Amino acid sequence: MVKVHVEDVGAVKKRVEVSIPEDRVVHVRNQVIRELNRRAKIPGFRPGKIPPSLLERYYSHDIETEMTSRLVSETLEEALKSHGIEAVTTPTLEKSETISEDGFGFRYGFSVEVMPHVEPRDYIGLPASRPEWEIPPEKIEEEVARLRDQHALLRTLDEERPIQTGDLAVIDIEGKIDGRGFDGGKSENLLVEVGSGHLLPGLEEGLVGLLPHSTGEITVTFPLDFRQSQLAGKVAVFNVHVKELKEKVLPALDDEFAREVGGFDSLQQLRDKILENIRQQLERVAKDEVNEAILAKLRSIHPVEVPPSLVEDEGKLIFRNLKARLASQGLDVNKTAAEDHEIMAKCLEEGRKRVHDRLVLQAIGEKEGVAVTEEEVNEEILKLARGSSTTVERLKKDLQENRAMENLRARILEDKTLDFLREKATITIENKVLGADSKTHA
């Protein structure tokens, strides 16, 4: 039987030293030599007939390396289990040596990150503020107006007049910097709502006053924070050809409009649905605010050290997702090393919070006996499948093959525990009027 000595290096790290009995070491060493004998090539000897002493002289390093590898792989799990150590990461081998002490013939040491012990406390009745919004009638009408604008028809203006702010212009445009074109600088039949702010600052303003079928030249400077960093701060000259002016023809605001945009029987039904959607969105916002207040309080109550490797993994995941989201929005993801370092630091801090929250929620869930049923797992898999292009069966198989099913169960447990804490929280209602401050959006 191996002898194991464990030393706590910190709340989330242990150093382990394992000593292996000499007879076991000899057995493994002889096994390695026999296997090597069958494939080794030494002049004057046939494979399998090489004296062991000669093999050890020619292949001493290979024998020691293979023996160490086998002894560690055969005993490491045994050593961890003997002391109930659940490793967060793959153990890092720090030393190994052949010894002859008290019947032991080999010793190795490694360090490993472990989960911290979390003792949940003071989590009932956590204070949190919950916003409740009054929804003014004008917010409904703003959404109705947006729908009318989306379903408007475009009609070419017959009159020949200069472009004004608010007009819709169809243009061909080509930009150059120092006389040379650049990526994204040329477009044909581009529909521009003058004054909307969708184009570069100064470009839409430069269209004002131009006549249909005319050409013009507009000089603008790219903002210093422009999404394509290679263009930031540079001066470009845009040649513009105005092809035509158009105007929006809004649909009549009646029951027929309600049927066209959403299959409603009446305009009032459309307004009722808009109100319902706003309320649902505000309910999600309120729930998120209460959740964050609870989690922030739990962090202050439980100053738990978290495994650095889990923080790093979570931070890198946040960083990759952020880059992917920016790329999907057409934004520049090629940052300088200093910018990436700053962004990564923020991602790691967010990663630390997420890992901490999971550990505390799991501990509270276990203490309160929160359980996850198969029905709840299947419901979550169904929800995930609906949001992707795969089937429930395929997704379930992928989760099992990638060993992600336990992660899914853990996430459900955390959500249920957070629901429990929200029900037990001391909630203060904060009345708000939607749109009364800049931080509130429908």
Side-chain angles (χ1 to χ4, degrees):
M1 181 179 292
V2 299
K3 182 173 74 173
V4 181
H5 173 73
V6 179
E7 176 188 358
D8 289 330
V9 184
V12 295
K13 188 176 182 180
K14 294 181 183 294
R15 185 170 289 118
V16 183
E17 187 177 88
V18 183
S19 298
I20 303 174
E22 191 167 5
D23 57 348
R24 187 169 181 175
V25 176
V26 171
H27 173 75
V28 171
R29 186 181 187 86
N30 289 339
Q31 189 180 50
V32 170
I33 291 173
R34 283 196 301 271
E35 292 176 6
L36 178 62
N37 207 333
R38 290 195 289 267
R39 65 177 187 276
K41 294 180 180 180
I42 296 179
F45 295 92
R46 290 178 298 170
K49 301 298 182 179
I50 305 172
S53 59
L54 199 59
L55 279 172
E56 296 210 41
R57 193 191 336 162
Y58 275 81
Y59 294 97
S60 60
H61 177 73
D62 296 307
I63 292 171
E64 291 296 326
T65 300
E66 180 61 22
M67 182 189 74
T68 298
S69 176
R70 294 191 187 187
L71 287 172
V72 171
S73 63
E74 289 177 6
T75 59
L76 191 146
E77 195 66 30
E78 177 185 348
L80 292 174
K81 285 183 178 179
S82 69
H83 281 67
I85 299 173
E86 294 185 16
V88 172
T89 55
T90 301
T92 304
L93 189 65
E94 296 177 338
K95 67 173 185 177
S96 63
E97 58 183 344
T98 300
I99 61 173
S100 181
E101 298 177 5
D102 301 325
F104 293 94
F106 186 82
R107 180 190 297 132
Y108 68 94
F110 62 88
S111 61
V112 63
E113 286 185 17
V114 298
M115 288 296 190
H117 173 69
V118 181
E119 185 58 48
R121 61 186 180 87
D122 302 334
Y123 54 82
I124 300 296
L126 293 172
S129 177
R130 185 185 190 283
E132 284 197 1
W133 279 280
E134 175 189 340
I135 305 172
E138 55 264 28
K139 302 305 292 185
I140 312 298
E141 296 311 311
E142 285 177 11
E143 183 63 17
V144 171
R146 188 184 67 81
L147 289 172
R148 287 185 77 196
D149 188 70
Q150 284 183 348
H151 291 80
L153 297 176
L154 297 181
R155 183 173 62 194
T156 301
L157 281 175
D158 295 329
E159 61 176 315
E160 293 282 322
R161 64 164 178 78
I163 295 177
Q164 303 170 2
T165 299
D167 282 346
L168 292 167
V170 179
I171 64 173
D172 291 341
I173 187 168
E174 183 176 9
K176 294 184 178 181
I177 296 176
D178 296 330
R180 302 179 66 178
F182 54 89
D183 289 342
K186 183 176 181 180
S187 185
E188 296 181 349
N189 297 316
L190 179 64
L191 181 64
V192 180
E193 184 174 356
V194 180
S196 65
H198 292 158
L199 299 184
L200 282 170
L203 195 50
E204 291 176 24
E205 293 84 346
L207 293 173
V208 175
L210 295 179
L211 289 167
H213 314 298
S214 68
T215 59
E217 195 175 84
I218 305 171
T219 301
V220 300
T221 301
F222 283 92
L224 294 175
D225 60 350
F226 191 65
R227 61 180 180 271
Q228 292 174 263
S229 56
Q230 70 273 19
L231 300 178
K234 294 190 175 180
V235 177
V237 177
F238 288 88
N239 292 311
V240 180
H241 173 218
V242 181
K243 304 181 81 170
E244 58 181 349
L245 292 184
K246 290 182 177 291
E247 64 177 348
K248 288 182 179 179
V249 181
L250 297 175
L253 191 56
D254 53 21
D255 293 344
E256 181 60 31
F257 169 71
R259 279 189 286 273
E260 287 182 3
V261 299
F264 300 100
D265 292 334
S266 66
L267 189 58
Q268 186 56 49
Q269 278 192 5
L270 172 60
R271 289 191 170 102
D272 291 343
K273 184 60 178 178
I274 291 172
L275 178 60
E276 179 187 341
N277 290 342
I278 293 176
R279 281 176 175 161
Q280 288 176 349
Q281 183 176 351
L282 292 176
E283 182 61 31
R284 289 193 292 271
V285 171
K287 180 179 176 181
D288 289 343
E289 289 192 18
V290 172
N291 285 348
E292 181 50 41
I294 289 172
L295 292 172
K297 192 64 179 177
L298 287 175
R299 290 180 207 125
S300 65
I301 295 172
H302 304 87
V304 180
E305 185 179 348
V306 296
S309 60
L310 294 186
V311 173
E312 184 177 357
D313 289 347
E314 190 69 25
K316 287 180 178 178
L317 177 62
I318 296 171
F319 185 81
R320 288 195 301 269
N321 289 342
L322 174 63
K323 289 273 189 176
R325 188 164 66 251
L326 291 175
S328 69
Q329 296 170 354
L331 300 176
D332 183 24
V333 297
N334 297 315
K335 305 293 184 181
T336 65
E339 289 172 330
D340 270 346
H341 180 76
E342 183 180 353
I343 294 171
M344 189 64 197
K346 293 178 180 177
C347 291
L348 286 172
E349 181 55 36
E350 179 61 26
R352 184 178 302 280
K353 288 181 182 179
R354 291 187 186 183
V355 173
H356 181 281
D357 293 347
R358 287 183 198 137
L359 294 175
V360 175
L361 287 174
Q362 287 170 8
I364 294 173
E366 290 175 6
K367 185 173 181 179
E368 291 294 334
V370 179
V372 177
T373 66
E374 283 302 316
E375 183 180 2
E376 289 170 333
V377 172
N378 291 332
E379 285 178 0
E380 187 64 22
I381 292 174
L382 177 60
K383 191 187 304 180
L384 292 172
R386 284 174 176 167
S388 64
S389 58
T390 189
T391 64
V392 171
E393 292 73 19
R394 181 65 203 173
L395 180 57
K396 186 177 290 189
K397 184 179 179 182
D398 289 343
L399 289 170
Q400 290 169 341
E401 289 178 351
N402 297 322
R403 299 181 180 179
M405 193 65 81
E406 284 308 307
N407 290 337
L408 180 63
R409 286 180 177 276
R411 185 164 62 80
I412 297 172
L413 176 66
E414 293 157 20
D415 290 342
K416 291 184 68 175
T417 302
L418 199 48
D419 290 343
F420 165 80
L421 293 172
R422 202 168 50 251
E423 290 172 3
K424 300 293 183 181
T426 302
I427 304 294
T428 302
I429 301 300
E430 183 180 355
N431 293 312
K432 294 184 177 183
V433 178
L434 183 62
D437 61 80
S438 60
K439 296 181 180 178
T440 305
H441 303 279

